[in-house]
Amino acid sequence: MTRSMLALLLLCSPAAAAGTISGPATVIDGDTIEVHGTRINLYGIDAPETAQSCQTVTGQDYRCGREAAQALSAHIGSGVVTCERRESTAAGGLAGLCLAHGEDLSAWMVAKGYALASRQVMPAYTRQEGQAWATRRGLWAGTFEKPADWRQDRRRMEASAGASAAD
């Protein structure tokens, strides 16, 4: 009971009102989590989409988006995630700097090669990305399409398919 009251007080504190949210997280994909029903994009990174495939060094396809999400989920485990609001996304969502086990989740995802640094947003993560590339971790162990390019290609194909169906 005392823990529940403490958690409620923390959620209702000025920090929560200012944009801090803390609690167990559900991983949506490699750069999106949900905490207490709030979807949060991990600030400063772009991970492959769940349906996105990449290729290993030998050219075999694998579900890199699913692998990124699974790695993030395993890293968080049952730990508490604390996110500090950084900005609203173009789609009306929330982007936050999120910590689990005292570690920046965005930096961890980039360092392990599961996500790319958004250089215009968070240039600090480019060091981790360079190390992941140099050691051929995660995505860098094979070939991949940048997640933003993959999404754009998907939208273009869907728009083309919709236009063909209308003909």
Side-chain angles (χ1 to χ4, degrees):
M1 178 71 176
T2 304
R3 281 188 175 176
S4 298
M5 290 297 289
L6 181 59
L8 185 59
L9 286 172
L10 287 173
L11 286 174
C12 296
S13 71
T20 300
I21 187 169
S22 186
T26 301
V27 172
I28 306 302
D29 62 27
D31 57 11
T32 310
I33 61 174
E34 188 172 284
V35 178
H36 294 300
T38 301
R39 280 204 180 194
I40 304 163
N41 294 322
L42 298 180
Y43 185 72
I45 67 170
D46 195 11
E49 297 299 320
T50 305
Q52 187 172 344
S53 292
C54 299
Q55 291 75 40
T56 64
V57 70
T58 60
Q60 291 195 330
D61 285 343
Y62 74 101
R63 300 288 298 270
C64 54
R66 183 179 299 163
E67 187 174 289
Q70 289 172 341
L72 179 59
S73 184
H75 184 63
I76 293 170
S78 60
V80 171
V81 175
T82 301
C83 298
E84 182 182 317
R85 181 188 187 117
R86 287 292 190 229
E87 63 185 30
S88 296
T89 64
L94 167 69
L97 181 63
C98 299
L99 305 177
H101 316 291
E103 184 173 30
D104 178 344
L105 292 176
S106 294
W108 186 86
M109 288 295 287
V110 172
K112 297 298 181 183
Y114 294 118
L116 304 178
S118 296
R119 287 167 170 71
Q120 66 279 16
V121 175
M122 195 64 170
Y125 295 148
T126 58
R127 183 178 58 77
Q128 287 96 339
E129 185 178 277
Q131 289 173 341
W133 174 83
T135 56
R136 300 293 185 248
R137 285 189 201 136
L139 298 169
W140 303 106
T143 59
F144 64 94
E145 185 174 11
K146 289 180 181 178
D149 294 343
W150 186 88
R151 286 189 299 273
Q152 185 176 20
D153 289 346
R154 265 310 248 247
R155 285 190 294 269
R156 200 175 297 129
M157 287 189 306
E158 289 171 0
S160 177
S164 295
D167 289 340

